[in-house]
Amino acid sequence: MIEPRFKRRQLSLATLALFAVAACGGEAAGTADAADSAAPSAASQAGAGTVVAATAASGAAEQAMTESDRLFLDMADGACNAVDFSSFFKAFTGSWAVRAKYTAAAVSHGMTGKSRSLPRRDYLALDDFPISPMDYDYVTAASAAAFEGKPDASWRDLSYVQLEFNTANDNRRRVDWLPGIFQKHQTPPPPELEEGLGELVRATGGGGTLLFFPTETCWELVEDVRNPAPQR
């Protein structure tokens, strides 16, 4: 079996452009499952330029704005207009610039039961958002960073995550994520598994919860809480 190869952590520019176009023309969708509560806050308003700080209010370190950042920002804006959370989440996980624009004034962050409220500037300065997009799936940000710096890396070097999306009646969005071993990792994988990760076989970490509150124009991150690793 030939393992697929990856050349970069971010989605290709062509793929990003297609996602951005799709987000601009997407339709609203959602479920009626309940999301956990957290204190609402005002929407973050950040600008975009050739070199962007995550606004003076955010306190995030300046980073160079790349073409993929611009495409992710376009994708997020289109997703907001279309009330398309799936595309918005893809953009949010893919770019620091999107996170700077759509993070609340205060974010609950830390381990379950020990989280504390951080000002936007302090949360963004941690640069600790837990997951990243990888093609049509998601992986832990730590494994994506390691993968990017490894010349001979393959998909098996990545820690893929399972996502569960829930929507409350007031349009709050909760995303539960869990890293693990999937059917794709089995040798050989199930014959009926053609593409994708397949079912989660075993959790390899505790994962966590990301909570987004609706604003007048989109959503913003209000909670990033991690769970302890499972006992072995």
Side-chain angles (χ1 to χ4, degrees):
M1 175 180 173
I2 300 176
E3 295 183 347
R5 302 289 297 174
F6 298 90
K7 294 184 179 179
R8 57 189 303 174
R9 171 177 136 186
Q10 296 283 11
L11 302 177
S12 71
L13 294 181
T15 301
L16 274 176
L18 288 174
F19 271 126
V21 170
C24 291
E27 296 180 352
T31 67
D33 299 318
D36 284 351
S37 62
S41 52
S44 167
Q45 299 296 327
T50 303
V51 176
V52 175
T55 76
S58 76
E62 289 189 357
Q63 300 187 49
M65 177 72 75
T66 66
E67 184 62 22
S68 66
D69 288 319
R70 295 187 183 92
L71 286 170
F72 272 126
L73 281 166
D74 288 344
M75 180 179 174
D77 291 344
C80 292
N81 293 333
V83 197
D84 178 359
F85 183 77
S86 178
S87 294
F88 169 79
F89 186 75
K90 174 78 74 173
F92 192 92
T93 61
S95 171
W96 67 269
V98 178
R99 292 193 289 276
K101 185 175 181 179
Y102 295 102
T103 292
V107 178
S108 179
H109 181 59
M111 298 299 293
T112 300
K114 300 180 180 179
S115 62
R116 59 193 181 98
S117 180
L118 295 179
R120 178 198 298 117
R121 62 181 298 127
D122 293 346
Y123 172 75
L124 292 174
L126 292 174
D127 193 21
D128 188 37
F129 192 74
I131 60 178
S132 295
M134 183 63 68
D135 292 336
Y136 294 97
D137 298 308
Y138 291 89
V139 300
T140 64
S143 72
F147 170 89
E148 194 173 59
K150 187 177 180 181
D152 59 346
S154 78
W155 67 271
R156 291 185 179 275
D157 294 297
L158 294 162
S159 179
Y160 286 86
V161 299
Q162 174 180 269
L163 300 182
E164 180 180 334
F165 294 86
N166 290 300
T167 306
N169 291 334
D170 61 0
N171 204 26
R172 284 174 294 160
R173 305 297 179 111
R174 170 174 167 157
V175 183
D176 292 294
W177 62 276
L178 183 66
I181 302 298
F182 294 82
Q183 288 179 313
K184 176 180 179 178
H185 296 95
Q186 296 177 321
T187 305
E192 67 274 12
L193 183 66
E194 297 180 359
E195 295 182 356
L197 298 175
E199 297 295 326
L200 179 69
V201 176
R202 177 173 57 85
T204 56
T209 297
L210 301 166
L211 186 62
F212 296 82
F213 270 29
T215 68
E216 291 184 358
T217 58
C218 198
W219 296 272
E220 59 184 9
L221 179 71
V222 300
E223 182 175 292
D224 173 3
V225 173
R226 316 293 169 83
N227 300 322
Q231 297 294 324
R232 295 187 177 181

